[in-house]
């Protein structure tokens, strides 16, 4: 397993929060560890409560049942299922 770590910035209600995203963590885990109040519920990719949009960078998702293929193509992700950033990532909960 890689020990890579990348910076992630999340825009929530007009405020930006940055944190280090370590290999093996979901984006939701990263933001909660940082103390950011983000919307979420099931943490399993079924409810869609944590949806946000990738504005820069890219991530992989596992077991994402709540989003359609067109949602994903438009850049929407579920942070509870988002893993493995390919570099720095900027996401928005405001879009």
């Amino acid at each position: 397993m890689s020990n890579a770590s990348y910076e992630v910035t999340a825009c929530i209600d007009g405020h930006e929060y940055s944190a280090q995203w370590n290999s093996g963590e979901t984006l939701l885990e990263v933001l909660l560890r940082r103390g950011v109040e983000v919307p979420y519920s099931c943490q399993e990719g079924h409810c869609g409560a944590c949806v946000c949009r990738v504005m820069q960078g890219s991530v992989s998702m596992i077991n994402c049942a709540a989003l359609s293929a067109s949602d994903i193509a438009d850049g929407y992700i579920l942070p509870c299922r988002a893993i493995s950033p390919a570099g720095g990532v900027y996401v928005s909960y405001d879009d």
Side-chain angles (χ1 to χ4, degrees):
M1 177 185 281
S2 170
N3 291 326
S5 176
Y6 297 101
E7 183 172 10
V8 59
T9 301
C11 182
I12 303 168
D13 296 329
H15 299 283
E16 291 186 347
Y17 304 90
S18 294
Q20 286 302 119
W21 189 346
N22 301 314
S23 177
E25 293 181 298
T26 67
L27 177 53
L28 180 61
E29 291 168 337
V30 171
L31 296 174
L32 292 175
R33 175 175 42 81
R34 167 66 171 74
V36 180
E37 292 186 26
V38 293
Y40 70 96
S41 184
C42 75
Q43 299 185 47
E44 295 178 0
H46 299 293
C47 71
C50 64
V51 69
C52 68
R53 190 172 195 179
V54 175
M55 308 305 282
Q56 291 180 333
S58 65
V59 301
S60 298
M61 282 192 298
I62 53 171
N63 304 324
C64 178
L67 297 177
S68 70
S70 67
D71 290 334
I72 295 169
D74 287 339
Y76 291 98
I77 63 166
L78 297 178
C80 67
R81 302 284 86 199
I83 58 168
S84 306
V89 177
Y90 184 93
V91 299
S92 177
Y93 284 80
D94 297 343
D95 185 39

